[in-house]
C-alpha cells in the first residue's frame, strides 16, 4: 500500500500528525508513506520515523491553476492507493479528488463531497489523538497512539557536547523555550525574568538554560544582562532542539512546536496558554502542566501562577 498524507500547517501540526503516520506504517502493509506540507514545515520530518519522502507545497500562497496542476501530476505519478489529510479546506479535498486516488480519507466538514471515507472530527481531545481518528477510515479502532520521535544520533551527540560546554551534564537543567514568532505565544520578558529569578533563589544549584532563537533575542539579551550565569543554547535544527529538550529536567515554554517535542519526548513541562485550549495541545498526564490565561491573553498570566506549578504550591 502506498499512502500520501496532506498536512497543511506549521511544524507543531506535523509533529501532532506523526502518530497517525506511525500507526499507518505499523498496522498496514505500507511500502511507502509520503507527506505533502508547507516548505517551512519540512524540517519536522528530520525526527519522523515513518515517512519516505516529504513533498513541499505552499498551501498558503496564491497558487495558480498551473501550481495545483503540477502538484496533482506529481501525486498521480506516484500511484498512491490511499490519501489522508488533516485539512478541512474544500480546495484540499478537490485536489485529492482530482488525483484519482481510490481511497480518500478526511474529516466530515466543508470538503466532505470529495472524500469517500469520512470520519467525525472530535476536537475535545489532544490533537494527535484527533488526527489518529482518521484511521477509522481504514476500519481501524481509534486507540491512543504511541508518541515517539526518532532523534538522529548526530543531534544527540551535539546536545551532549552542548551540555558539557554549559557545564550542566551532571547537574541537570531547567530549559526555557519561548518563541516570539506567534503573537499569541509571546510572554513578556519582565515576567519571564520574575519566574527565573524566583527559581534561582530557591534552587541556586540548578542551572537555567534558555533556547536562543532569531525571534527571541530581546528576551535572551535581557536575561543574560540580568542573570549573568544563565546558560544559552542555539540548536540550529529540529533534531538538535529535540535532543536538548530530551535532556532537560523541566521545560518552561509557550504553546509552540517545542511543546509538542517535549510531549513526545516525555519531558516534564509547564506550558503557557493564551487563547488556545490546553486540552487540544496536551495529553492528560502529570508530566505536562498547563497554565491558562484567565483572560485569553498570554501576557495576563502572572508569574505566581507559573511558580505555583513549579513548586506545586
Amino acid at each position: 500500500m502506498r499512502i500520501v498524507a496532506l498536512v497543511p500547517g506549521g511544524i507543531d501540526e506535523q509533529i501532532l500528525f506523526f502518530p497517525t503516520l506511525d500507526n499507518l506504517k505499523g498496522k498496514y502493509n505500507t511500502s511507502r508513506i509520503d507527506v505533502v506540507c508547507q516548505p517551512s514545515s519540512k524540517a519536522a520530518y528530520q525526527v519522523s520515523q515513518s515517512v519516505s519522502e516529504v513533498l513541499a507545497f505552499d498551501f498558503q500562497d496564491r497558487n495558480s491553476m498551473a501550481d495545483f496542476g503540477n502538484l496533482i501530476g506529481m501525486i498521480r505519478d506516484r500511484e498512491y492507493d490511499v490519501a489522508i489529510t488533516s485539512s478541512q479546506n474544500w480546495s484540499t479535498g478537490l485536489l485529492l479528488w482530482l488525483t484519482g486516488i481510490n481511497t480518500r480519507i478526511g474529516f466530515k466538514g466543508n470538503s466532505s463531497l470529495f472524500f469517500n471515507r469520512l470520519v467525525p472530527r472530535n476536537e475535545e481531545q489532544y490533537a494527535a489523538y484527533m488526527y489518529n481518528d482518521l484511521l477509522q477510515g481504514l476500519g481501524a479502532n481509534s486507540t491512543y497512539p504511541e508518541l515517539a520521535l526518532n532523534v538522529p544520533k548526530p543531534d544527540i551527540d551535539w546536545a551532549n557536547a552542548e551540555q558539557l560546554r554549559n557545564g550542566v551534564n551532571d547537574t541537570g537543567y531547567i530549559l526555557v523555550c519561548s518563541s516570539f514568532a506567534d503573537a499569541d505565544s509571546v510572554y513578556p520578558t519582565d515576567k519571564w525574568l520574575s519566574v527565573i529569578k524566583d527559581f534561582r533563589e530557591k534552587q541556586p544549584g540548578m542551572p537555567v538554560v534558555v533556547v536562543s532563537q532569531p525571534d527571541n533575542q530581546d528576551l535572551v539579551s535581557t536575561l543574560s544582562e540580568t542573570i549573568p550565569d544563565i546558560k544559552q543554547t542555539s540548536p540550529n535544527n529540529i533534531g538538535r532542539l529535540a535532543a536538548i529538550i530530551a535532556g532537560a529536567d523541566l521545560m518552561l515554554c509557550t504553546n509552540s512546536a517545542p511543546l509538542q517535542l517535549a510531549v513526545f519526548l516525555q519531558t516534564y513541562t509547564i506550558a503557557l496558554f493564551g487563547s488556545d485550549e490546553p486540552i487540544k495541545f496536551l495529553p492528560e498526564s502529570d508530566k505536562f502542566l498547563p497554565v491558562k490565561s484567565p483572560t485569553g491573553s498570554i501576557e495576563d498570566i502572572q508569574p505566581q501562577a507559573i511558580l505555583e506549578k513549579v513548586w506545586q504550591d
Side-chain angles (χ1 to χ4, degrees), residues 7-209:
V7 191
I11 287 178
D12 52 346
E13 194 86 357
Q14 311 306 314
I15 296 168
L16 286 163
F17 209 80
F18 281 5
T20 303
L21 300 173
D22 293 344
N23 280 352
L24 281 168
K25 184 173 183 179
K27 291 183 178 181
Y28 301 95
N29 183 24
T30 55
S31 60
R32 186 178 188 89
I33 298 177
D34 294 341
V35 169
V36 182
C37 70
Q38 296 284 130
S40 59
S41 298
K42 283 186 67 174
Y45 292 91
Q46 294 174 16
V47 291
S48 170
Q49 54 190 2
S50 298
V51 174
S52 303
E53 185 177 0
V54 183
L55 310 173
F57 184 78
D58 195 344
F59 293 93
Q60 297 176 349
D61 196 8
R62 293 184 177 181
N63 295 292
S64 66
M65 292 302 295
D67 295 326
F68 282 110
N70 289 337
L71 178 60
I72 291 168
M74 186 165 53
I75 292 175
R76 278 180 172 272
D77 289 345
R78 286 167 167 76
E79 298 183 340
Y80 296 110
D81 303 292
V82 174
I84 188 168
T85 184
S86 61
S87 173
Q88 288 191 292
N89 191 303
W90 70 267
S91 62
T92 305
L94 174 60
L95 186 152
L96 286 177
W97 180 72
L98 291 172
T99 65
I101 296 172
N102 288 331
T103 301
R104 302 179 303 280
I105 304 169
F107 288 117
K108 292 180 180 178
N110 296 334
S111 56
S112 296
L113 174 67
F114 302 109
F115 294 95
N116 52 17
R117 305 284 179 89
L118 289 168
V119 176
R121 184 180 174 98
N122 177 10
E123 296 186 357
E124 298 303 313
Q125 59 178 329
Y126 180 44
Y129 300 160
M130 178 185 72
Y131 294 143
N132 191 69
D133 287 346
L134 287 166
L135 298 190
Q136 294 174 16
L138 290 172
N141 293 328
S142 183
T143 55
Y144 285 169
E146 180 183 358
L147 306 179
L149 296 178
N150 180 36
V151 182
K153 187 177 183 303
D155 294 330
I156 295 173
D157 293 341
W158 176 88
N160 290 336
E162 190 73 350
Q163 290 177 40
L164 285 170
R165 182 185 67 81
N166 274 317
V168 300
N169 54 311
D170 295 324
T171 60
Y173 57 96
I174 306 301
L175 190 67
V176 176
C177 196
S178 181
S179 172
F180 280 53
D182 180 355
D184 192 46
S185 296
V186 176
Y187 191 57
T189 296
D190 60 326
K191 293 185 175 181
W192 271 128
L193 192 57
S194 295
V195 170
I196 296 169
K197 278 185 173 180
D198 182 274
F199 185 85
R200 294 303 310 277
E201 288 172 5
K202 293 179 179 176
Q203 291 283 347
M206 176 67 77
V208 175
V209 180

Side-chain angles (χ1 to χ4, degrees), residues 214-230:
D215 63 7
N216 72 347
Q217 289 306 297
D218 288 344
L219 171 66
V220 174
S221 296
T222 299
L223 292 178
S224 298
E225 292 168 4
T226 311
I227 309 173
D229 63 344
I230 199 166

